[in-house]
Amino acid sequence: QESMHAYAANVYTTVVEELMKGKQRKFIAVEQEFFRLWWDVVATDTQKQQVHQLLQEGRLEFVIGGQVMHDEAVTLIDDQILQLTEGHGFLYETFGFRPQFSWHVDPFGASATTPTLFALAGFNAHLISRIDYDLKADMQKNKKLQFVWQGSPSLSERQQIFTHVMDQYSYCTPSQLPFSNRSGFYWNGFATFPDPPKDGVYPNMSLPVTDTNLHLYAQTMVANIKERAAWFRTSDVLWPWGCDKQFFNASVQYFNMDLLLDYINKHSDEFGVTVQYATVGDYFQAVYSRNLTWEIRDSQDFLPYSTEPFQAWTGFYTSRSTLKGIARRASSLLYAGESFFTQYVRKHPEGSICKCKALKQLQSLRWAVSEVQHHDGVTGTESPKVKDMYMNNLMYGMFNVKKLMASIIFDMSNAKKNGEVYSSVYPKDSGTPGTFYTAFPIFKLPHKSYPVFLQNSQHTVTSLCVQVQSSVESQSTYDLYILVAINGLSYRKYSVKPLDAKQSAFIGRSIKYKQRDITRADPQSQQLFPVVNSCYQVLFDQNTNLMHSITERETNQTVQLTQEFLEYHVNGDTTKGPISDNYLFAPNASAVQVSKAVGLEVVSGNLVTEIRQYFYSNVTSQDYIYAVYTRMYTVPEGYDGKLLCHRIEQEYSVGPLELNREAVLRTSTNLNTRQLLYTDNNGYQMQKRPFKAYVNNTVARNYYPMVQTAYIEDDTTRLMLLAERAHGVSSQGNGQVEVMLHRRLWNNLQWNLNNNLTLNDSSVVRPVIWLILGTKAATNILYRTSGLALEHRPVVMFGALSAVKPKQPRQLQQNSVHDSSVTVPPNLHLQTLSIPGWRYSSSHAEQVRSIRMGKQKQGDADFSRVLLRIRHLYEVGEDPVLSQPVMVDLKSLLKGLGSVMVVEERSLTGTWDVNTLKQWKWKTVQYPSKGFFNSTETSENYLVTVHPKEIRTFFVYFQSQ
């Protein structure tokens, strides 16, 4: 809102006005968050008409078109798709416009997921800028800044995209003038906060173009154009005019630009250059029409990113860990809320919940999750007050969606129409083994003699499936574990009541071990004790209270494994050397151990054994900054406990840290990993990360983002880490993997001080990581579904019980949504099931016609269109069975929601019918022909074959009830 007031609203107001004054002028715009605020709050009817006209004439072009320009390193694929879909839905509904080019100029490094997503969204070309400085210099010298990028090793030629890397000048106009000590090319100066200056005079306004300096200005511009031309293969040069926070006074910009461009073109023989205003689309069209043959780049990403030898942008992988965690919880809750609302609308068309209000509740969280994907959002690279805005918007959206889900449950529980119950009991034999999600919701209780459960008013949960134990947080509260088996996209109700004298719940037994001085432990005299479940035996050493080893019981493979917390000490004074900040990680030296003494408590029970380790700075300390709570699960007979049993769950408590400390958990094993690490791109695909030695800053430049998954392995055994928020991760030694969990920094870099970017984060963070150990084949099967299980943990909601005994119909509620549950094969993921509410027509001709006739503005949201996305989780060749293509019958898959009448296959964000989408096909050595790609195989009779790593998007319409 402050940016809107200070400059952003003026960008759109003045640019639209100036574009209307000169037919030759053009402009590109990216982020829809600002444009939508301007459109909804500021724009007049005349300005809105002008925007329509400028888009039709191709003089205003939206590029990317998402809500924001999303970060590429620490965002999850689901959230990238969400924010793109949000922006694209608005643009198509309002203007019938579909972006076809990207402008990803500012994210700090480039992921290989992005080219795949942009190709799936119907883009013809992709543009990036921030990649390693030394790599860029090399590519520039060899004219290799342009290539066709095959982001996914498994997807066909169709999902590749032509990619342009900006040269060393990046996306801002160079401002040095050889003939003046004033800046050039930025005639509107710099934006001022909080208010624009009353007299319209901004700081740093560039030297105006005049008759006396016009020739010198032209020479300067042409010299830069020619310097850049030498780095590219065609004679077309993209010369970006502008930078951050520019064009808020477009009249002074265009006035000076016009003078300069006209002069150069009048003297083009002398200069050897012609210039024209262009959009990104114009530039790529020019390059495409040259008909050159391009090299293919494989699925390697451009991470991490360094700007100079001591500037590795790897700190933001962990900055503001709490925001990173909340953003992911919000995303997961949104997924649950969307699918729950979709089922409710389909199954209960006469339900009492106002659908328009429900959509607004969902939209508040869609917007909040979309905006925080910004490259200065979830990255943690914003000032504290902007971080607070993201948090407030996320919390508000989560509150709305929880309220909606509670009202759906309430409405469905009390529903009785025409004497009929809303839903029938789920037939016993229709759940196939493996479709249940077995999980432990945890509740906090006031005292331990509390729980007995009535499961859905049908039968009491057996005492085998309940455990109560004293809580880590305080001795006066208790954790209650209940084992639940729950079908896909469904819910269950339990009532929790105090016990009477005859009943018993299992109380976890606690053993506290003596605090140990780990500096004095004798490695020869280990006292080992085991913690065991059906899958693992974990040994702890009583002499140190540390983990000693893990044995995978099926193969009897034992891996020596120890864990320790370390801190990197970093510099905050620019006069003393490189600094760490929100973006950068620049350690002074190797990490140092933080604790000399470790306390241990083991709480064991019938379901869960929890090992609580407390790390103290010395033997006399009473307070700890670091703790690990390790949980191992035991699943009774009759439950599918494969996923639960195969994970060792660890929750960490870290903080408050001292200033200029970066906290890591280092796990050291005896696996001979040759220091090779694997980490994921955005929870979509894995990247190989060999350790690289550099002259400077080797530690920081070997940090990579882990969005969801990282692993190390030797020839036989793999140790996997699964995360519920992004972290920086590295392998600084053979057999090691370390995860950065928290950072607290202060520095005196002037730019950081001006923008309040000091990251003095005094919070305590509580991230969770699941460890999975086993053979490569076994972990391959487990980690995709386990990663999803961690991402989408069950939403737990509770409220007071009414004293009234439920009537019979409410008892029938038992599996209320079970008959509308949706189960996909184990190698597929139901990525999206939602009712977007867009009012646009699926037919492009019809949509454009209704916009031209002005019919698009009115009308309620469309609740009949369901958006469905299905993603194949495996790469080609990753697993003999799970890597196979899968045939899905959509009619049968969705029968629980009603009778499917029409299925339309769409582009990733829904705006293109894939049958009419024609994407540019760029010539490559491997594929010499040029032309257009046509659609993939379309679904016949609702049957769809999903190939490895494919993401398929559909609009589904059901028979109305």
Side-chain angles (χ1 to χ4, degrees), residues 23 58 124 144 163 196 203 249 251 353 384 392 468 471 479 488 514 519 542 669-670 721 770 830 883 896 902 922:
K23 283 283 183 201
N124 287 318
K144 297 212 165 166
T163 303
N249 183 355
S251 68
I353 290 173
N392 291 340
V468 185
S471 181
D479 296 340
K514 201 173 143 218
T519 59
Q542 265 173 264
T669 70
N670 62 343
L721 284 66
W770 290 356
L830 186 75
S883 291
V902 179
W922 297 73

Short mmCIF file of all heavy atoms in Angstrom, two decimals, residues 23 58 124 144 163 196 203 249 251 353 384 392 468 471 479 488 514 519 542 669-670 721 770 830 883 896 902 922:
data_model
loop_
_atom_site.label_atom_id
_atom_site.label_comp_id
_atom_site.label_asym_id
_atom_site.label_seq_id
_atom_site.Cartn_x
_atom_site.Cartn_y
_atom_site.Cartn_z
N LYS A 23 2.02 6.65 -30.86
CA LYS A 23 1.77 5.28 -31.36
C LYS A 23 3.01 4.40 -31.31
O LYS A 23 2.92 3.18 -31.35
CB LYS A 23 1.26 5.35 -32.81
CG LYS A 23 -0.18 5.77 -32.94
CD LYS A 23 -1.11 4.61 -32.57
CE LYS A 23 -2.58 4.98 -32.78
NZ LYS A 23 -3.47 4.10 -31.98
N GLY A 58 -1.01 -4.22 -28.87
CA GLY A 58 0.29 -4.82 -28.57
C GLY A 58 1.30 -3.80 -28.05
O GLY A 58 2.50 -4.05 -28.07
N ASN A 124 6.25 -18.86 -25.02
CA ASN A 124 7.11 -19.14 -26.17
C ASN A 124 8.58 -18.92 -25.88
O ASN A 124 9.44 -19.41 -26.61
CB ASN A 124 6.70 -18.26 -27.35
CG ASN A 124 5.39 -18.72 -27.96
OD1 ASN A 124 5.18 -19.92 -28.12
ND2 ASN A 124 4.51 -17.80 -28.27
N LYS A 144 26.89 -17.58 -25.62
CA LYS A 144 26.04 -18.72 -25.23
C LYS A 144 24.96 -18.30 -24.23
O LYS A 144 24.48 -19.12 -23.45
CB LYS A 144 26.90 -19.84 -24.65
CG LYS A 144 27.88 -20.38 -25.67
CD LYS A 144 28.18 -21.84 -25.48
CE LYS A 144 28.86 -22.40 -26.73
NZ LYS A 144 29.45 -23.69 -26.50
N THR A 163 15.48 -19.84 -23.95
CA THR A 163 15.82 -19.04 -22.77
C THR A 163 16.90 -18.03 -23.11
O THR A 163 17.90 -18.35 -23.76
CB THR A 163 16.29 -19.96 -21.62
OG1 THR A 163 15.26 -20.91 -21.35
CG2 THR A 163 16.58 -19.17 -20.36
N PRO A 196 5.11 11.16 -2.45
CA PRO A 196 5.79 11.78 -3.60
C PRO A 196 6.07 13.25 -3.26
O PRO A 196 5.31 13.86 -2.51
CB PRO A 196 4.75 11.67 -4.74
CG PRO A 196 3.71 10.71 -4.25
CD PRO A 196 3.73 10.77 -2.76
N PRO A 203 14.63 13.13 -6.25
CA PRO A 203 16.10 13.07 -6.16
C PRO A 203 16.71 12.33 -7.35
O PRO A 203 16.06 11.46 -7.94
CB PRO A 203 16.35 12.30 -4.85
CG PRO A 203 15.05 11.64 -4.51
CD PRO A 203 13.96 12.41 -5.16
N ASN A 249 6.92 8.78 -13.33
CA ASN A 249 6.64 10.05 -14.00
C ASN A 249 6.97 9.82 -15.47
O ASN A 249 8.01 10.24 -15.96
CB ASN A 249 7.50 11.16 -13.38
CG ASN A 249 7.20 12.51 -14.00
OD1 ASN A 249 6.43 12.60 -14.94
ND2 ASN A 249 7.83 13.55 -13.48
N SER A 251 5.92 10.86 -18.28
CA SER A 251 5.98 11.90 -19.32
C SER A 251 7.42 12.38 -19.52
O SER A 251 7.88 12.52 -20.65
CB SER A 251 5.05 13.07 -18.99
OG SER A 251 5.52 13.76 -17.85
N ILE A 353 -24.37 -22.90 3.32
CA ILE A 353 -23.23 -21.96 3.29
C ILE A 353 -23.30 -21.09 2.04
O ILE A 353 -23.52 -21.60 0.94
CB ILE A 353 -21.91 -22.74 3.33
CG1 ILE A 353 -21.74 -23.38 4.70
CG2 ILE A 353 -20.71 -21.84 3.02
CD1 ILE A 353 -20.57 -24.31 4.82
N PRO A 384 11.37 -5.74 8.33
CA PRO A 384 10.47 -6.34 9.32
C PRO A 384 9.00 -5.98 9.12
O PRO A 384 8.13 -6.82 9.26
CB PRO A 384 10.99 -5.82 10.66
CG PRO A 384 12.45 -5.56 10.42
CD PRO A 384 12.53 -5.10 9.00
N ASN A 392 0.61 -11.21 8.51
CA ASN A 392 -0.78 -10.86 8.85
C ASN A 392 -1.73 -11.34 7.76
O ASN A 392 -2.81 -11.87 8.05
CB ASN A 392 -0.92 -9.34 9.03
CG ASN A 392 -0.20 -8.85 10.27
OD1 ASN A 392 0.07 -9.64 11.18
ND2 ASN A 392 0.12 -7.57 10.32
N VAL A 468 -0.91 -40.74 25.89
CA VAL A 468 -0.83 -39.44 26.53
C VAL A 468 0.54 -39.34 27.18
O VAL A 468 1.02 -40.31 27.77
CB VAL A 468 -1.91 -39.31 27.64
CG1 VAL A 468 -1.89 -37.90 28.22
CG2 VAL A 468 -3.27 -39.62 27.08
N SER A 471 4.15 -32.97 28.20
CA SER A 471 4.56 -32.20 27.05
C SER A 471 5.97 -31.64 27.23
O SER A 471 6.40 -31.40 28.35
CB SER A 471 3.57 -31.05 26.85
OG SER A 471 3.93 -30.30 25.74
N ASP A 479 0.61 -34.09 25.93
CA ASP A 479 0.39 -34.34 24.50
C ASP A 479 -0.47 -35.58 24.37
O ASP A 479 -0.22 -36.58 25.05
CB ASP A 479 1.72 -34.61 23.78
CG ASP A 479 2.65 -33.41 23.79
OD1 ASP A 479 2.15 -32.30 24.01
OD2 ASP A 479 3.86 -33.59 23.59
N GLY A 488 -8.15 -40.54 1.41
CA GLY A 488 -7.80 -39.32 0.69
C GLY A 488 -8.95 -38.33 0.68
O GLY A 488 -10.11 -38.73 0.47
N LYS A 514 21.25 -38.79 32.97
CA LYS A 514 22.12 -37.77 33.55
C LYS A 514 22.72 -36.90 32.43
O LYS A 514 23.09 -37.41 31.38
CB LYS A 514 23.24 -38.48 34.32
CG LYS A 514 23.92 -37.61 35.35
CD LYS A 514 24.90 -38.45 36.19
CE LYS A 514 26.10 -37.58 36.48
NZ LYS A 514 27.34 -38.29 36.46
N THR A 519 32.65 -33.36 26.05
CA THR A 519 34.08 -33.12 25.78
C THR A 519 34.95 -34.17 26.47
O THR A 519 36.09 -34.38 26.10
CB THR A 519 34.51 -31.72 26.27
OG1 THR A 519 34.25 -31.64 27.68
CG2 THR A 519 33.75 -30.63 25.55
N GLN A 542 24.93 -43.50 26.07
CA GLN A 542 24.67 -42.89 27.38
C GLN A 542 25.84 -42.04 27.87
O GLN A 542 25.67 -41.20 28.73
CB GLN A 542 24.38 -43.98 28.42
CG GLN A 542 22.91 -44.22 28.58
CD GLN A 542 22.64 -45.40 29.48
OE1 GLN A 542 22.44 -46.51 29.02
NE2 GLN A 542 22.67 -45.16 30.78
N THR A 669 27.80 -39.30 8.97
CA THR A 669 27.61 -40.76 8.84
C THR A 669 28.90 -41.39 8.35
O THR A 669 29.84 -40.69 7.95
CB THR A 669 26.51 -41.09 7.81
OG1 THR A 669 27.02 -40.76 6.50
CG2 THR A 669 25.24 -40.29 8.05
N ASN A 670 28.93 -42.72 8.35
CA ASN A 670 30.08 -43.42 7.77
C ASN A 670 29.82 -43.83 6.32
O ASN A 670 30.51 -44.69 5.78
CB ASN A 670 30.47 -44.64 8.62
CG ASN A 670 29.34 -45.66 8.68
OD1 ASN A 670 28.19 -45.34 8.35
ND2 ASN A 670 29.65 -46.88 9.09
N LEU A 721 16.47 -36.60 3.78
CA LEU A 721 15.89 -35.60 4.68
C LEU A 721 14.71 -34.97 3.96
O LEU A 721 14.83 -34.55 2.81
CB LEU A 721 16.92 -34.50 5.00
CG LEU A 721 18.03 -34.80 5.99
CD1 LEU A 721 18.98 -35.85 5.46
CD2 LEU A 721 18.81 -33.52 6.32
N TRP A 770 12.01 -35.02 8.53
CA TRP A 770 11.87 -36.47 8.61
C TRP A 770 13.11 -37.11 7.99
O TRP A 770 13.52 -36.74 6.88
CB TRP A 770 10.63 -36.96 7.85
CG TRP A 770 9.33 -36.58 8.50
CD1 TRP A 770 9.15 -35.94 9.69
CD2 TRP A 770 8.02 -36.82 7.97
NE1 TRP A 770 7.81 -35.77 9.94
CE2 TRP A 770 7.09 -36.30 8.90
CE3 TRP A 770 7.54 -37.43 6.81
CZ2 TRP A 770 5.70 -36.36 8.70
CZ3 TRP A 770 6.17 -37.49 6.61
CH2 TRP A 770 5.27 -36.97 7.56
N LEU A 830 -2.70 -35.81 -6.79
CA LEU A 830 -3.80 -34.91 -7.13
C LEU A 830 -3.37 -33.52 -6.68
O LEU A 830 -3.51 -33.16 -5.52
CB LEU A 830 -5.07 -35.36 -6.39
CG LEU A 830 -6.32 -34.59 -6.76
CD1 LEU A 830 -6.81 -35.03 -8.13
CD2 LEU A 830 -7.42 -34.81 -5.74
N SER A 883 7.80 -45.58 -12.25
CA SER A 883 8.16 -44.65 -13.33
C SER A 883 7.39 -44.92 -14.62
O SER A 883 7.67 -44.29 -15.64
CB SER A 883 9.66 -44.73 -13.62
OG SER A 883 10.40 -44.21 -12.53
N GLY A 896 -17.02 -39.99 -6.97
CA GLY A 896 -17.50 -39.60 -5.65
C GLY A 896 -18.03 -38.18 -5.59
O GLY A 896 -18.76 -37.80 -4.67
N VAL A 902 -18.34 -33.27 -18.82
CA VAL A 902 -17.40 -32.72 -19.81
C VAL A 902 -16.04 -32.56 -19.15
O VAL A 902 -15.94 -32.11 -18.01
CB VAL A 902 -17.87 -31.33 -20.32
CG1 VAL A 902 -16.87 -30.76 -21.32
CG2 VAL A 902 -19.25 -31.41 -20.93
N TRP A 922 11.57 -23.93 -31.50
CA TRP A 922 12.86 -23.36 -31.87
C TRP A 922 13.76 -24.46 -32.44
O TRP A 922 13.80 -25.56 -31.90
CB TRP A 922 13.51 -22.72 -30.65
CG TRP A 922 12.72 -21.56 -30.10
CD1 TRP A 922 11.55 -21.63 -29.41
CD2 TRP A 922 13.01 -20.17 -30.23
NE1 TRP A 922 11.09 -20.38 -29.08
CE2 TRP A 922 11.98 -19.44 -29.57
CE3 TRP A 922 14.06 -19.45 -30.82
CZ2 TRP A 922 11.97 -18.05 -29.48
CZ3 TRP A 922 14.04 -18.06 -30.73
CH2 TRP A 922 13.00 -17.37 -30.08
#
